[in-house]
mmCIF file of all heavy atoms in Angstrom:
data_model
loop_
_atom_site.group_PDB
_atom_site.id
_atom_site.type_symbol
_atom_site.label_atom_id
_atom_site.label_comp_id
_atom_site.label_asym_id
_atom_site.label_seq_id
_atom_site.Cartn_x
_atom_site.Cartn_y
_atom_site.Cartn_z
ATOM 1 N N LEU A 92 165.219 9.163 -11.624
ATOM 2 C CA LEU A 92 164.133 9.839 -12.318
ATOM 3 C C LEU A 92 164.542 11.235 -12.807
ATOM 4 O O LEU A 92 163.873 11.816 -13.670
ATOM 5 C CB LEU A 92 162.901 9.989 -11.409
ATOM 6 C CG LEU A 92 162.228 8.693 -10.991
ATOM 7 C CD1 LEU A 92 161.103 8.975 -10.002
ATOM 8 C CD2 LEU A 92 161.725 7.916 -12.194
ATOM 9 N N TYR A 93 165.612 11.815 -12.193
ATOM 10 C CA TYR A 93 165.997 13.187 -12.489
ATOM 11 C C TYR A 93 167.451 13.261 -12.936
ATOM 12 O O TYR A 93 168.283 12.478 -12.508
ATOM 13 C CB TYR A 93 165.803 14.055 -11.262
ATOM 14 C CG TYR A 93 164.452 13.870 -10.612
ATOM 15 C CD1 TYR A 93 164.318 13.291 -9.383
ATOM 16 C CD2 TYR A 93 163.287 14.237 -11.290
ATOM 17 C CE1 TYR A 93 163.078 13.081 -8.813
ATOM 18 C CE2 TYR A 93 162.027 14.026 -10.733
ATOM 19 C CZ TYR A 93 161.940 13.452 -9.469
ATOM 20 O OH TYR A 93 160.724 13.245 -8.910
ATOM 21 N N ASP A 94 167.722 14.253 -13.765
ATOM 22 C CA ASP A 94 169.100 14.490 -14.211
ATOM 23 C C ASP A 94 169.844 15.363 -13.211
ATOM 24 O O ASP A 94 171.036 15.164 -12.983
ATOM 25 C CB ASP A 94 169.088 15.151 -15.590
ATOM 26 C CG ASP A 94 168.523 14.222 -16.644
ATOM 27 O OD1 ASP A 94 169.201 13.236 -16.971
ATOM 28 O OD2 ASP A 94 167.379 14.445 -17.097
ATOM 29 N N TYR A 95 169.151 16.342 -12.640
ATOM 30 C CA TYR A 95 169.766 17.206 -11.624
ATOM 31 C C TYR A 95 168.730 17.720 -10.674
ATOM 32 O O TYR A 95 167.525 17.674 -10.935
ATOM 33 C CB TYR A 95 170.542 18.357 -12.303
ATOM 34 C CG TYR A 95 169.712 19.287 -13.150
ATOM 35 C CD1 TYR A 95 169.094 20.423 -12.599
ATOM 36 C CD2 TYR A 95 169.539 19.065 -14.512
ATOM 37 C CE1 TYR A 95 168.352 21.297 -13.368
ATOM 38 C CE2 TYR A 95 168.789 19.931 -15.298
ATOM 39 C CZ TYR A 95 168.223 21.035 -14.727
ATOM 40 O OH TYR A 95 167.470 21.901 -15.492
ATOM 41 N N GLU A 96 169.223 18.220 -9.547
ATOM 42 C CA GLU A 96 168.360 18.835 -8.536
ATOM 43 C C GLU A 96 168.884 20.235 -8.259
ATOM 44 O O GLU A 96 170.043 20.557 -8.551
ATOM 45 C CB GLU A 96 168.374 17.990 -7.253
ATOM 46 C CG GLU A 96 167.846 16.584 -7.497
ATOM 47 C CD GLU A 96 167.751 15.723 -6.237
ATOM 48 O OE1 GLU A 96 167.668 16.284 -5.120
ATOM 49 O OE2 GLU A 96 167.759 14.489 -6.386
ATOM 50 N N TYR A 97 168.035 21.055 -7.663
ATOM 51 C CA TYR A 97 168.434 22.438 -7.419
ATOM 52 C C TYR A 97 167.574 23.075 -6.325
ATOM 53 O O TYR A 97 166.489 22.583 -6.010
ATOM 54 C CB TYR A 97 168.361 23.260 -8.707
ATOM 55 C CG TYR A 97 166.972 23.374 -9.276
ATOM 56 C CD1 TYR A 97 166.172 24.488 -9.022
ATOM 57 C CD2 TYR A 97 166.422 22.329 -10.033
ATOM 58 C CE1 TYR A 97 164.900 24.588 -9.531
ATOM 59 C CE2 TYR A 97 165.145 22.429 -10.554
ATOM 60 C CZ TYR A 97 164.384 23.564 -10.303
ATOM 61 O OH TYR A 97 163.113 23.661 -10.802
ATOM 62 N N ARG A 98 168.096 24.164 -5.787
ATOM 63 C CA ARG A 98 167.357 25.049 -4.870
ATOM 64 C C ARG A 98 167.774 26.477 -5.202
ATOM 65 O O ARG A 98 168.909 26.734 -5.584
ATOM 66 C CB ARG A 98 167.709 24.732 -3.401
ATOM 67 C CG ARG A 98 167.158 23.343 -3.004
ATOM 68 C CD ARG A 98 167.543 22.968 -1.606
ATOM 69 N NE ARG A 98 166.850 23.786 -0.607
ATOM 70 C CZ ARG A 98 167.097 23.708 0.695
ATOM 71 N NH1 ARG A 98 168.028 22.852 1.165
ATOM 72 N NH2 ARG A 98 166.450 24.454 1.556
ATOM 73 N N TYR A 99 166.817 27.400 -5.030
ATOM 74 C CA TYR A 99 167.081 28.812 -5.352
ATOM 75 C C TYR A 99 166.802 29.680 -4.147
ATOM 76 O O TYR A 99 165.664 29.728 -3.654
ATOM 77 C CB TYR A 99 166.201 29.220 -6.555
ATOM 78 C CG TYR A 99 166.416 30.645 -6.951
ATOM 79 C CD1 TYR A 99 167.668 31.098 -7.362
ATOM 80 C CD2 TYR A 99 165.385 31.570 -6.927
ATOM 81 C CE1 TYR A 99 167.885 32.418 -7.729
ATOM 82 C CE2 TYR A 99 165.566 32.871 -7.316
ATOM 83 C CZ TYR A 99 166.817 33.311 -7.710
ATOM 84 O OH TYR A 99 167.023 34.612 -8.072
ATOM 85 N N PHE A 100 167.856 30.335 -3.696
ATOM 86 C CA PHE A 100 167.765 31.213 -2.525
ATOM 87 C C PHE A 100 167.855 32.669 -2.993
ATOM 88 O O PHE A 100 168.777 33.040 -3.722
ATOM 89 C CB PHE A 100 168.905 30.898 -1.544
ATOM 90 C CG PHE A 100 168.933 29.454 -1.117
ATOM 91 C CD1 PHE A 100 169.901 28.603 -1.594
ATOM 92 C CD2 PHE A 100 167.977 28.953 -0.254
ATOM 93 C CE1 PHE A 100 169.934 27.257 -1.217
ATOM 94 C CE2 PHE A 100 167.975 27.614 0.123
ATOM 95 C CZ PHE A 100 168.951 26.770 -0.350
ATOM 96 N N TRP A 101 166.914 33.482 -2.553
ATOM 97 C CA TRP A 101 166.912 34.887 -2.985
ATOM 98 C C TRP A 101 166.454 35.846 -1.883
ATOM 99 O O TRP A 101 165.535 36.641 -2.051
ATOM 100 C CB TRP A 101 166.140 35.073 -4.264
ATOM 101 C CG TRP A 101 164.687 34.662 -4.224
ATOM 102 C CD1 TRP A 101 164.092 33.649 -3.527
ATOM 103 C CD2 TRP A 101 163.622 35.267 -4.969
ATOM 104 N NE1 TRP A 101 162.743 33.573 -3.777
ATOM 105 C CE2 TRP A 101 162.433 34.566 -4.665
ATOM 106 C CE3 TRP A 101 163.573 36.309 -5.855
ATOM 107 C CZ2 TRP A 101 161.201 34.914 -5.218
ATOM 108 C CZ3 TRP A 101 162.343 36.635 -6.412
ATOM 109 C CH2 TRP A 101 161.177 35.946 -6.088
ATOM 110 N N PRO A 102 167.093 35.800 -0.733
ATOM 111 C CA PRO A 102 166.693 36.705 0.355
ATOM 112 C C PRO A 102 166.920 38.176 0.041
ATOM 113 O O PRO A 102 166.303 39.053 0.681
ATOM 114 C CB PRO A 102 167.561 36.251 1.537
ATOM 115 C CG PRO A 102 168.771 35.653 0.886
ATOM 116 C CD PRO A 102 168.253 35.008 -0.370
ATOM 117 N N TRP A 103 167.728 38.483 -0.971
ATOM 118 C CA TRP A 103 167.959 39.873 -1.380
ATOM 119 C C TRP A 103 166.667 40.480 -1.918
ATOM 120 O O TRP A 103 166.493 41.686 -1.920
ATOM 121 C CB TRP A 103 169.061 39.959 -2.436
ATOM 122 C CG TRP A 103 170.380 39.481 -1.952
ATOM 123 C CD1 TRP A 103 171.350 40.246 -1.327
ATOM 124 C CD2 TRP A 103 170.896 38.161 -1.998
ATOM 125 N NE1 TRP A 103 172.412 39.457 -0.993
ATOM 126 C CE2 TRP A 103 172.154 38.160 -1.394
ATOM 127 C CE3 TRP A 103 170.409 36.964 -2.489
ATOM 128 C CZ2 TRP A 103 172.960 37.042 -1.276
ATOM 129 C CZ3 TRP A 103 171.175 35.832 -2.382
ATOM 130 C CH2 TRP A 103 172.439 35.884 -1.778
ATOM 131 N N ALA A 104 165.757 39.632 -2.396
ATOM 132 C CA ALA A 104 164.468 40.106 -2.946
ATOM 133 C C ALA A 104 163.345 40.051 -1.921
ATOM 134 O O ALA A 104 162.231 40.416 -2.236
ATOM 135 C CB ALA A 104 164.095 39.263 -4.166
ATOM 136 N N GLY A 105 163.664 39.565 -0.727
ATOM 137 C CA GLY A 105 162.646 39.548 0.322
ATOM 138 C C GLY A 105 162.020 38.206 0.600
ATOM 139 O O GLY A 105 161.206 38.068 1.518
#
Side-chain angles (χ1 to χ4, degrees):
L92 296 176
Y93 312 112
D94 295 289
Y95 61 89
E96 299 184 23
Y97 63 98
R98 292 176 70 185
Y99 181 59
F100 305 107
W101 60 326
W103 297 272

